[in-house]
Amino acid sequence: MGSSGEWCLIESDPGVFTELITGFGVVGVQVEEIYSLDDFCVNHLEPIVGLVFLFKIGPETEQDASKPIDTADDVLVEHLFFAKQVIKNACATIAMINILMNLDDSTVNLGPHLQGFKEFSASFDSLNRGLALSNLSVIRDVHNSFARQTLFEFDDKTLLKDDDDVYHFVAFVPVNGRVYELNGLNEAPVDHGAFDASISWVQHARKLIESRMQSHATNEIRFNLLALVKDQLIKHRTVLESTTDETQRADIESLIDDELLKRRRYREEMLRRKHNYLPLIVELLKIMAKDGILISSYQDAVKKSIEKKQTGVKRKLQS
């Protein structure tokens, strides 16, 4: 997997993903975190236009990704956009772009960058789409705007350990009555079959995701699921305009207030994520050194870290 310039890791957070696609120039959708795929948890978010599933991967996942996939190439070329991941740390952006490019909704505006890329790469195969995307500087710059501030630049290869956890994002999207899994590690989309048009496609995807989680349940419980949904503020305001019942209007206005509050919280969190706290940290270390407590504080921290690691190892052995 190439580099084509360095791409940073991205946190699996709805605020981060919403800011990410907004930075791409997309209008009309946002990202929400889903804690359960039960009807009660997803119905209020409908229509859901795509799902992004985060899970831990290992050697067996890479082997599965390398296996040939039985797909109908003519159908895929005609109806699906799929870009293969050819750059490290880009799976979050690849998963989201693969969903966005398959939307067929007049209320969603991809913006000039993604719309232009979609038209430019219309005749490309998945590998060349991935290569072209990796060289799209505007996408890389938005992606890397979420990089953590650091004092030093490190070579990822020297920092990566054999037992380090590695996580991966894959997308699920409905296209022409069928559910497709868009995994950038695969050579092509995976067709998971048709879904019942009388119910949400999410219920079909639910079985797939729950099965995936159960297959990892023996040694892994850390998963994350994000949903790409219509802009909730626009959705609520549209309903409000068409409602005359005072009780319903009060409920909708409450939903609008909650959405505005959430977006304000997202903005505050984003400012904290992107703020450079390193100068403050350096000055605090200087003050601690001047007061003669830096070395002892460091030794105490090392001791606590060792104790915590030993406790974790004991728990692992007991389980």
Side-chain angles (χ1 to χ4, degrees):
M1 194 171 291
S3 63
S4 189
E6 296 299 325
W7 291 57
C8 70
L9 289 170
I10 284 188
E11 181 181 352
S12 182
D13 177 86
V16 169
F17 272 73
T18 298
E19 183 78 7
L20 180 74
I21 61 178
T22 300
F24 294 159
V26 179
V27 177
V29 287
Q30 67 186 63
V31 179
E32 294 288 335
E33 188 166 18
I34 294 180
Y35 299 100
S36 170
L37 284 171
D38 293 337
D39 292 344
F40 175 78
C41 296
V42 301
N43 284 350
H44 70 285
L45 293 174
E46 291 286 5
I48 296 175
V49 298
L51 295 170
V52 176
F53 181 51
L54 173 70
F55 63 102
K56 182 179 176 180
I57 63 173
E60 69 282 354
T61 308
E62 296 178 358
Q63 291 172 5
D64 290 341
S66 65
K67 294 177 181 178
I69 300 171
D70 185 15
T71 52
D73 292 340
D74 55 339
V75 175
L76 294 177
V77 170
E78 183 179 356
H79 297 298
L80 274 178
F81 176 99
F82 175 68
K84 183 173 173 59
Q85 182 185 345
V86 298
I87 36 181
K88 186 179 179 182
N89 296 336
C91 58
T93 291
I94 294 293
M96 192 56 65
I97 288 179
N98 276 333
I99 293 176
L100 290 168
M101 294 298 206
N102 284 294
L103 293 185
D104 184 17
D105 191 319
S106 59
T107 65
V108 179
N109 185 347
L110 292 179
H113 302 302
L114 288 187
Q115 186 61 44
F117 180 77
K118 183 177 182 179
E119 295 170 0
F120 168 74
S121 63
S123 62
F124 292 6
D125 60 18
S126 61
L127 177 59
N128 283 315
R129 276 179 180 156
L131 290 170
L133 186 59
S134 71
N135 287 288
L136 200 59
S137 60
V138 63
I139 300 300
R140 182 176 64 246
D141 291 345
V142 172
H143 177 105
N144 284 337
S145 68
F146 297 94
R148 293 181 179 180
Q149 300 289 340
T150 58
L151 276 174
F152 308 102
E153 293 293 335
F154 296 100
D155 184 351
D156 289 344
K157 294 179 181 179
T158 62
L159 296 178
L160 190 62
K161 300 177 182 178
D162 292 337
D163 59 349
D164 281 350
D165 293 335
V166 179
Y167 292 86
H168 183 60
F169 293 92
V170 300
F172 293 88
V173 63
V175 178
N176 293 333
R178 306 183 73 83
V179 175
Y180 291 94
E181 179 181 346
L182 309 179
N183 182 344
L185 295 180
N186 289 336
E187 297 298 326
V190 179
D191 183 353
H192 287 293
F195 60 90
D196 186 348
S198 65
I199 60 175
S200 172
W201 72 275
V202 174
Q203 297 309 313
H204 188 87
R206 170 185 176 178
K207 299 175 183 178
L208 302 171
I209 294 172
E210 288 178 345
S211 175
R212 191 75 52 85
M213 293 173 67
Q214 289 171 2
S215 68
H216 292 78
T218 55
N219 56 9
E220 183 58 46
I221 60 172
R222 290 167 293 181
F223 304 98
N224 187 251
L225 185 62
L226 300 173
L228 186 65
V229 302
K230 295 294 187 67
D231 187 306
Q232 298 296 286
L233 203 54
I234 295 176
K235 172 183 167 182
H236 296 325
R237 284 173 173 169
T238 300
V239 175
L240 183 64
E241 291 175 359
S242 61
T243 302
T244 57
D245 183 272
E246 290 302 321
T247 301
Q248 290 182 356
R249 289 183 65 86
D251 291 341
I252 297 170
E253 287 172 350
S254 177
L255 291 174
I256 291 174
D257 290 340
D258 290 344
E259 184 65 28
L260 290 172
L261 182 63
K262 181 181 67 180
R263 294 188 181 197
R264 184 171 65 187
R265 186 180 75 250
Y266 282 171
R267 287 194 295 270
E268 292 174 353
E269 291 174 353
M270 204 59 58
L271 288 173
R272 294 191 183 100
R273 282 188 181 94
K274 294 185 176 183
H275 183 73
N276 185 2
Y277 290 96
L278 295 176
L280 171 64
I281 294 171
V282 170
E283 290 303 316
L284 288 175
L285 292 174
K286 289 180 179 179
I287 292 172
M288 292 174 69
K290 184 177 180 181
D291 293 344
I293 61 173
L294 179 59
I295 300 300
S296 59
S297 297
Y298 167 75
Q299 292 172 340
D300 289 341
V302 170
K303 182 179 178 181
K304 289 179 181 178
S305 177
I306 293 173
E307 291 174 349
K308 184 178 180 180
K309 187 173 182 179
Q310 290 174 342
T311 301
V313 170
K314 289 180 181 178
R315 289 177 179 174
K316 201 168 184 180
L317 292 174
Q318 291 173 354
S319 62

